[in-house]
Amino acid sequence: YSAGVVGQAAEQIIAGVVLSERLAVTMYGAIHRAQFAGQRHLRGLVVDPKMLAETAFRSSLTDPGAVATAVALNHQNIVPTVAVEAGGPDVVIVTRGVGRYVTVQDLITAARATRSQSGKLPIPVAAAIGRSVIEALAAAHKAKVVHGAVHPRSVLIDEDGGVRLGDFVVGRALTTAVAKGADSAMWRGLSGYLAPELVVGEDPTPGADVFAVGAMLFTMLSGEAPPGSLHVTPAVERLVQRALDTDISRRYRSATDLLENLQLKVRGAGIHG
């Protein structure tokens, strides 16, 4: 894809998915407006061929059971997956369109540029985003789905302030592949948000998602990636640091566990997300 293709409406069909204007380029590949199976207003992620060259990644990405579970995930804070279509060398992940959005990474970058270079988001904003992402993960964990690659770039905020977590299929495929021995350079883009046990080859668990969302809360509240101190209320500090515990046995077990504790802390701190 050359930079000149951005904004062009020329259509192409890959794996039965009709792709038009390119909207964004992510660590996973290029996202286009898409139509599929008679549905419009979709998004098609054309997965990066370099990632697909990794056999464990491709097989995890297209595993019918994993795809069916992801497609069945239904929650207001999750970007819906419509299908994963493979055709020849290509794989396209089709999701329901969110309209215009920014990512949490965009907000952090903007805050670094404007808010006295600190990069912090206002506490009520960070709390509202954090709660929405934790609710999305709690729903996923109840459905026995682990994300594995939660990152500020995977969290979309639409024009109405709705917060949705995306990249479920591709995130899980990535962390599963690396756990199976794929080149760890594949997940360089997730640096700072990966639970330490993943880096040494363990399979992603709900606890890995807890770590990642803890790292995201830390970054939103401090402007920097962990580790470090947050300079917030002791209750919120304890919550985030426990989510970030390098010992998985001391971490919150799942997003449901984290959500229950967050609700108690938020009420105690008088923050309303």
Side-chain angles (χ1 to χ4, degrees):
Y1 294 96
S2 69
V5 179
V6 174
Q8 272 186 6
E11 289 190 346
Q12 54 175 328
I13 300 175
I14 297 180
V17 184
V18 181
L19 301 163
S20 54
E21 179 191 358
R22 189 169 80 166
L23 301 172
V25 178
T26 72
M27 66 176 277
Y28 299 114
I31 299 173
H32 295 255
R33 292 189 196 281
Q35 297 174 47
F36 177 71
Q39 298 180 69
R40 302 172 71 84
H41 308 301
L42 301 175
R43 300 288 178 263
L45 168 65
V46 182
V47 181
D48 182 342
K50 287 201 281 294
M51 297 181 84
L52 290 173
E54 189 67 65
T55 310
F57 174 78
R58 189 185 180 106
S59 62
S60 178
L61 189 67
T62 53
D63 174 68
V67 171
T69 315
V71 169
L73 270 185
N74 181 23
H75 189 273
Q76 64 182 15
N77 298 125
I78 291 175
V79 176
T81 302
V82 175
V84 178
E85 296 297 308
D90 297 305
V91 177
V92 182
I93 300 172
V94 184
T95 56
R96 184 88 49 236
V98 174
R100 292 170 67 89
Y101 66 83
V102 294
T103 67
V104 169
Q105 185 64 52
D106 294 333
L107 294 185
I108 292 166
T109 303
R112 283 188 182 136
T114 54
R115 290 172 66 86
S116 313
Q117 309 298 318
S118 70
K120 292 182 195 177
L121 301 187
I123 287 176
V125 173
I129 292 169
R131 182 176 181 149
S132 294
V133 174
I134 294 163
E135 284 174 352
L137 287 170
H141 293 168
K142 277 184 185 150
K144 303 283 189 281
V145 175
V146 173
H147 188 295
V150 176
H151 186 279
R153 284 191 299 267
S154 298
V155 181
L156 315 183
I157 302 169
D158 66 26
E159 290 178 302
D160 299 323
V163 178
R164 289 186 184 84
L165 177 59
D167 295 336
F168 268 89
V169 177
V170 74
R172 179 62 208 255
L174 175 62
T175 42
T176 301
V178 178
K180 287 181 176 166
D183 185 354
S184 59
M186 283 178 74
W187 65 19
R188 198 173 288 129
L190 301 173
S191 180
Y193 295 87
L194 278 178
E197 67 273 8
L198 294 181
V199 180
V200 295
E202 290 184 25
D203 277 324
T205 64
D209 286 344
V210 166
F211 182 94
V213 79
M216 192 162 78
L217 279 167
F218 188 100
T219 305
M220 289 191 294
L221 290 167
S222 72
E224 299 293 334
S229 295
L230 276 177
H231 311 297
V232 289
T233 65
V236 173
E237 176 95 41
R238 278 197 301 275
L239 176 102
V240 174
Q241 297 295 3
R242 185 172 164 199
L244 287 169
D245 202 309
T246 53
D247 181 345
I248 194 165
S249 66
R250 291 200 298 259
R251 217 180 287 155
Y252 296 107
R253 287 187 308 281
S254 70
T256 309
D257 196 10
L258 176 57
L259 184 61
E260 284 166 7
N261 282 276
L262 179 74
Q263 283 163 337
L264 292 171
K265 301 275 197 296
V266 164
R267 261 185 237 121
I271 300 167
H272 301 288

